[in-house]
Amino acid sequence: MHQTIQHASDGTPLYLLEKNQFPNWLQQQDAFVKNWLKNTQYEGKGLTLIPDNNGELVCALFCSEDLQNLFASADIAKQLPAQQFVLHCDTGLELNAAIAWGLSSYQFDKYKQIETPQATLALTNGDIAQQANNVIHATCLVRDMINTPAGDMMPEHMAQTVEAVAQQFGGTFSQLVDEELLEHNYPTIHAVGRASVHAPRLLDLRWGDKQHPKVTLVGKGVCFDSGGLDLKPSGAMRLMKKDMGGAAHVMGLAYLIMSHNLPIQLRVIIPSVENAVSANAFRPGDVLQTRHGISVEIDNTDAEGRLVLCDALSEACNDKPDVIFDFATLTGACRVALGTELPGFFSNDNQIAQDLMAVGEENDDPIWRLPLHKAYRGLLKSDVADISNCASTPFGGAITAALYLQEFVHKDIPWLHFDVMAWNNRKLPGRPVGGEAFGIRTVFDYLAQRYSA
Ligand code: BES
Ligand code: ZN
Ligand code: ZN
């Protein structure tokens, strides 16, 4: 559940001021307000409530040193009394404040009723309210998909979610299920997913005008990653309902693109599987064929993400898009390198990579580029197949995983691969513990700037 930002002008005023705007604002207030703020020792930092002489609430005031930061005002939604507030601030600050409010109102309440009444927010500008709601909805779609337990977010459920979003925006949805994956030459997706009673699928969403430039998104949709036969230890398995986080990210990004009606031709490809254990599970030492034609020796069945992604990336390249973005909870190594709150990304295109880093900073949605260091390609050598699915050393694990994927991407197609945590381990303003979107506002803003109508 999350709040929708209202388009209205009635409600208690909520003033949002940069710290240096406070003295000026104070000047314009009557003697009562001046005295009240003086006697409550409010000095232009944080949240305060201002009453009239009957004790009724007149307005709320929040001052901060850095309102440019998206999350600066995020926590006030939870501290205000349960009534409607109308935002008063500089036009340039409205969108961020509204997004922050919506993101902090999120609660995963599918299985537990949480009925604490909450303050709501209204903007007088309907366009900004709409833009904020698009971002809030997209992010909360990502969070909901990730937070939903694996048992209720298996490939068949994910298919329903993707189809519903496609329908909402007049896109088309198609899928290949189980044996159809073999008939249409997606051998690695089938091999990873065949041990589950929830049949593996390839989900495919298309939207937009065929005249427009083509952008393709690919997301890792491993609904649960037990590790397969090279089973994960319990601690490492505990959060693996989030291993479809890449799929959730590309759906959130698709939602942003479609709701803002960007002039692009969009395709979203999601290999959706459960990496389960059963008598027909794929094994360490097996050799799989791929859609590309390259053979892969399985060193470890827990390196399954790159296996389902490689066939999806081959298909993505087939219709020669302008650019490919993939998102995946691909490696623990990327978390060791950058921590859980900074997603790593890799690219074969220096210009796009550089532009993206800058856009990330501007959006308080940072990302960090890691190198496709060619010299490590040798770590993926196999004695019996064209490539091994993982290196024998864990060092540089995010890089070797990305180098594996690169083998399946046409070198002339700009490609960006994001290795994300998809989860908040700790609570931060506007970001509750649990499923989280990383980098999608950045990629969306990059696309919006590059392909403006
Ligand atoms: N889904 C995991 C990676 C992961 C783990 C991402 C924890 C985020 C947090 C992936 O399928 C995996 O198990 N990767 C292995 C690769 C190894 C076997 C080469 C890993 O990272 O340990
Ligand atoms: Zn794994
Ligand atoms: Zn995985």
Side-chain angles (χ1 to χ4, degrees):
M1 189 282 295
H2 65 81
Q3 284 187 23
T4 301
I5 304 302
Q6 307 298 313
H7 173 213
S9 51
D10 56 314
T12 309
L14 165 62
Y15 295 98
L16 218 61
L17 302 176
E18 294 279 7
K19 194 173 193 303
N20 61 14
Q21 294 177 304
F22 175 63
N24 228 337
W25 180 87
L26 190 63
Q27 273 304 312
Q28 292 158 29
Q29 306 308 308
D30 59 26
F32 179 92
V33 171
K34 282 179 185 151
N35 273 335
W36 174 264
L37 290 175
K38 192 176 107 212
N39 292 325
T40 55
Q41 295 184 330
Y42 184 79
E43 284 165 355
K45 196 162 188 264
L47 183 68
T48 193
L49 300 172
I50 300 176
D52 65 13
N53 50 18
N54 289 321
E56 300 291 338
L57 185 57
V58 171
C59 67
L61 170 64
F62 179 79
C63 294
S64 158
E65 268 168 21
D66 185 19
L67 280 181
Q68 298 297 331
N69 182 297
L70 174 71
F71 296 105
S73 63
D75 275 351
I76 63 178
K78 293 242 158 67
Q79 295 160 22
L80 287 167
Q83 49 178 272
Q84 177 147 301
F85 289 86
V86 184
L87 189 61
H88 292 259
C89 65
D90 286 354
T91 330
L93 300 174
E94 261 179 319
L95 181 61
N96 274 359
I99 292 172
W101 183 290
L103 293 183
S104 80
S105 74
Y106 176 80
Q107 286 180 325
F108 183 64
D109 58 1
K110 238 180 216 171
Y111 305 88
K112 182 181 183 178
Q113 249 48 58
I114 308 166
E115 275 178 33
T116 38
Q118 290 190 4
T120 57
L121 186 69
L123 304 191
T124 49
N125 184 322
D127 286 344
I128 295 184
Q130 183 58 50
Q131 267 186 58
N133 283 328
N134 289 344
V135 175
I136 296 162
H137 199 96
T139 308
C140 294
L141 170 65
V142 178
R143 291 175 175 177
D144 274 342
M145 285 180 75
I146 296 170
N147 286 334
T148 300
D152 290 336
M153 189 45 77
M154 280 298 168
E156 62 272 24
H157 309 112
M158 195 182 287
Q160 287 169 4
T161 305
V162 174
E163 184 168 22
V165 175
Q167 277 173 1
Q168 185 181 345
F169 295 101
T172 59
F173 170 78
S174 64
Q175 59 177 327
L176 298 171
V177 185
D178 209 2
E179 297 289 315
E180 290 170 350
L181 288 166
L182 295 177
E183 286 156 28
H184 289 83
N185 191 27
Y186 291 94
T188 59
I189 300 174
H190 185 268
V192 172
R194 73 187 181 207
S196 172
V197 292
H198 302 274
R201 297 174 185 233
L202 183 83
L203 313 178
D204 202 333
L205 178 161
R206 292 171 203 254
W207 173 89
D209 192 329
K210 289 213 163 59
Q211 308 299 318
H212 291 149
K214 196 180 286 176
V215 174
T216 298
L217 312 179
V218 177
K220 171 178 171 181
V222 175
C223 295
F224 189 76
D225 184 9
S226 68
L229 285 169
D230 287 352
L231 203 65
K232 283 183 186 295
S234 56
M237 202 189 295
R238 177 62 182 87
L239 279 183
M240 281 300 131
K241 69 172 182 181
K242 79 174 170 78
D243 214 21
M244 34 57 72
H249 275 63
V250 294
M251 287 312 295
L253 185 48
Y255 188 98
L256 285 173
I257 291 168
M258 296 188 292
S259 62
H260 287 84
N261 207 14
L262 285 196
I264 63 178
Q265 186 190 335
L266 177 67
R267 184 172 183 199
V268 183
I269 303 174
I270 296 174
S272 187
V273 302
E274 180 190 9
N275 190 17
V277 172
S278 104
N280 66 341
F282 75 125
R283 313 160 188 85
D286 278 356
V287 174
L288 305 183
Q289 291 304 318
T290 62
R291 183 172 185 77
H292 193 83
I294 297 172
S295 59
V296 189
E297 183 182 15
I298 305 306
D299 178 71
N300 191 320
T301 60
D302 199 7
E304 84 299 337
R306 59 198 83 180
L307 292 170
V308 297
L309 285 174
C310 72
D311 277 3
L313 284 168
S314 299
E315 172 55 19
C317 288
N318 281 348
D319 55 4
K320 297 191 170 53
D322 256 29
V323 56
I324 298 173
F325 291 88
D326 82 63
F327 281 80
T329 48
L330 202 61
T331 68
C334 196
R335 312 285 74 79
V336 174
L338 297 174
T340 58
E341 291 161 14
L342 185 60
F345 80 102
F346 298 81
S347 184
N348 59 2
D349 187 304
N350 291 331
Q351 187 61 55
I352 302 182
Q354 213 179 333
D355 293 349
L356 270 175
M357 286 272 285
V359 176
E361 283 303 316
E362 287 164 23
N363 282 275
D364 300 304
D365 189 22
I367 54 177
W368 200 265
R369 188 182 187 189
L370 295 172
L372 288 162
H373 186 54
K374 280 198 190 66
Y376 292 167
R377 172 62 181 81
L379 296 170
L380 293 171
K381 281 211 177 97
S382 157
D383 291 336
V384 300
D386 295 329
I387 194 169
S388 169
N389 80 326
C390 68
S392 53
T393 169
F395 294 116
I399 299 177
T400 48
L403 287 170
Y404 174 92
L405 295 181
Q406 192 178 18
E407 294 291 314
F408 300 86
V409 175
H410 196 290
K411 67 179 184 353
D412 297 331
I413 302 178
W415 159 66
L416 295 105
H417 155 58
F418 287 80
D419 195 331
V420 295
M421 177 66 176
W423 192 266
N424 291 322
N425 279 342
R426 60 169 177 170
K427 188 199 163 340
L428 289 170
R431 287 152 291 178
V433 170
E436 185 61 288
F438 291 88
I440 65 168
R441 285 184 293 106
T442 295
V443 174
F444 170 72
D445 195 29
Y446 169 80
L447 291 172
Q449 287 181 34
R450 175 162 161 187
Y451 304 107
S452 46

